[in-house]
Amino acid sequence: MRHIKLLLPLLFLLMSSPSIAQNADSANHCLKLAQQDYQAGDYQKAAQNYISLLRHYPGYVLAVYNTACCYSLLNNKAEAVKWLESAVDLGYYDFDRDQDMNNIRSTRQYKKTLARVQKLIAELKAKTEKPVIGLPQDFDPAKTYGLLVALHGYGSDPNNIVQALAGVPQQMGYIVLAPYGPDAAGKDGFSWGERDTAEQKVLAAIKTAQAKYKIDPSRIILMGFSQGATTSYYIGTKNAALFKGIIPMAGMYDSSLDQFLPRSRENNLKVYIMFGELEPEAMIKANLEAIRSFIMSGITASFNVYARLGHAFPPNQEFELQRAIEWVEK
């Protein structure tokens, strides 16, 4: 079955790149053409447009992988395997279920690449099984603490978001719990992947933390940045009884989550949305719909827009993080 492999994470590269003014329009044009060509079955043109996209953003793993798919569909086995190996080198491992690979599955090099990936996945699983924990400086195992669950963005890892929080939650009496996303996204980055898989990973990490530390069940907050924020919308509203509140920062709300809002209201879930005014229009619109849905459902929610901010943590982030946590606590 034909399908378009969406390159949504490119959006975040465009927002954070220092050469955004020069590259964004050209990259988006290449992406649009590549997806149109792929859908139309013109895989040769699609491959060339993905390669053109890589001239603007070298090493962009999903464009590399989609190029491999196009050459496989063209039955150009040598090029398909070459691009697939490059995608694996960049950290893309989830390809064996993709029907686009059917033309090269029987090749010796594909089987060799798959065996290498299976070994890498085993190593990755061992590395990412345990979440990153941030304890207060004066941590006392006899005391009870709140728990702030922090979900990293696409292509990032838990260490990055714990560092970005700058110790603010710990100073406010919280243990920080930062799980790894379940999927690889680049050689050293991770993604939250399928929502249900992400939910299972996060809930299991919370359960483990509750068994290891004395956690106040009335002080569990879920926070996320970028894809982590999008994931926090889903996990937080679906499991509203578990959380005092959620703090999505630069995420995307999906209206399909409206089904969970009655339980969010019943459990007094609080939602503190943080967003930059320079985010793409579609993302701003989605979050405006989110705040509307929350308010119409009787959920206490706050929408905070930061001037001249793109896809990033807000300026004066320590103050803003403290304010967000305090708002949820009240």
Side-chain angles (χ1 to χ4, degrees):
M1 181 178 71
R2 292 181 182 177
H3 57 283
I4 300 174
K5 297 174 182 62
L6 297 177
L7 301 183
L8 290 178
L10 176 62
L11 171 65
F12 306 131
L13 291 178
L14 297 179
M15 291 303 300
S16 58
S17 169
S19 57
I20 180 172
Q22 298 176 358
N23 288 344
D25 289 343
S26 297
N28 274 321
H29 181 65
C30 293
L31 172 60
K32 182 178 179 181
L33 290 177
Q35 291 180 327
Q36 288 176 346
D37 292 334
Y38 179 94
Q39 192 174 34
D42 193 338
Y43 304 122
Q44 187 67 48
K45 284 186 178 180
Q48 293 307 310
N49 279 309
Y50 282 126
I51 292 170
S52 295
L53 173 59
L54 288 166
R55 295 192 185 103
H56 298 284
Y57 292 96
Y60 183 44
V61 61
L62 293 180
V64 174
Y65 175 67
N66 279 12
T67 304
C69 289
C70 290
Y71 281 121
S72 176
L73 289 164
L74 289 165
N75 207 28
N76 187 334
K77 297 179 180 179
E79 283 295 305
V81 168
K82 182 185 79 172
W83 283 95
L84 178 61
E85 288 177 340
S86 295
V88 170
D89 289 340
L90 291 168
Y92 192 89
Y93 305 149
D94 186 22
F95 60 82
D96 195 42
R97 295 173 295 177
D98 193 336
Q99 294 182 12
D100 287 357
M101 296 287 108
N102 287 349
N103 286 337
I104 63 172
R105 284 186 202 284
S106 62
T107 65
R108 183 171 63 88
Q109 194 56 44
Y110 179 91
K111 294 176 181 178
K112 183 178 178 180
T113 301
L114 181 60
R116 177 162 73 100
V117 163
Q118 290 170 341
K119 181 179 179 182
L120 289 170
I121 289 175
E123 294 172 352
L124 185 67
K125 184 176 181 181
K127 175 183 176 183
T128 63
E129 195 67 28
K130 294 183 179 180
V132 174
I133 301 291
L135 297 175
Q137 286 188 349
D138 59 351
F139 174 72
D140 182 346
K143 291 184 178 180
T144 300
Y145 295 89
L147 185 68
L148 187 132
V149 185
L151 308 186
H152 62 76
Y154 179 92
S156 184
D157 69 50
N159 293 289
N160 288 337
I161 194 165
V162 170
Q163 292 172 8
L165 294 176
V168 171
Q170 294 94 318
Q171 294 167 15
M172 301 176 69
Y174 284 84
I175 293 172
V176 174
L177 172 70
Y180 283 85
D183 295 343
K187 191 172 183 180
D188 299 309
F190 302 89
S191 163
W192 290 103
E194 295 294 329
R195 297 194 302 188
D196 290 343
T197 303
E199 178 189 17
Q200 293 171 11
K201 185 90 183 267
V202 171
L203 295 182
I206 293 172
K207 188 175 181 179
T208 300
Q210 289 174 317
K212 186 174 182 179
Y213 305 106
K214 296 182 71 174
I215 302 296
D216 182 349
S218 69
R219 296 182 66 216
I220 301 178
I221 297 175
L222 179 61
M223 169 183 280
F225 174 74
S226 190
Q227 190 194 37
T230 302
T231 304
S232 73
Y233 272 132
Y234 174 70
I235 297 175
T237 55
K238 186 178 178 183
N239 300 276
L242 180 60
F243 301 105
K244 174 74 170 178
I246 59 175
I247 306 175
M249 186 184 306
M252 177 81 84
Y253 182 79
D254 181 345
S255 61
S256 69
L257 305 186
D258 288 353
Q259 63 182 304
F260 303 130
L261 298 190
R263 73 179 66 168
S264 297
R265 182 187 65 250
E266 292 166 5
N267 288 282
N268 298 315
L269 183 74
K270 301 180 73 174
V271 184
Y272 192 93
I273 301 170
M274 306 172 76
F275 218 77
E277 70 165 350
L278 300 182
E279 291 278 17
E281 183 179 351
M283 296 183 72
I284 294 175
K285 182 178 179 181
N287 281 274
L288 288 172
E289 286 296 319
I291 193 69
R292 179 180 179 276
S293 294
F294 291 138
I295 292 173
M296 293 294 291
S297 299
I299 296 167
T300 302
S302 177
F303 190 79
N304 304 271
V305 182
Y306 300 93
R308 300 182 296 280
L309 180 69
H311 199 69
F313 269 65
N316 197 9
Q317 65 191 54
E318 293 182 27
F319 171 80
E320 294 297 340
L321 288 170
Q322 180 175 335
R323 188 171 75 157
I325 295 169
E326 288 177 343
W327 184 88
V328 171
E329 287 182 327
K330 292 177 182 178

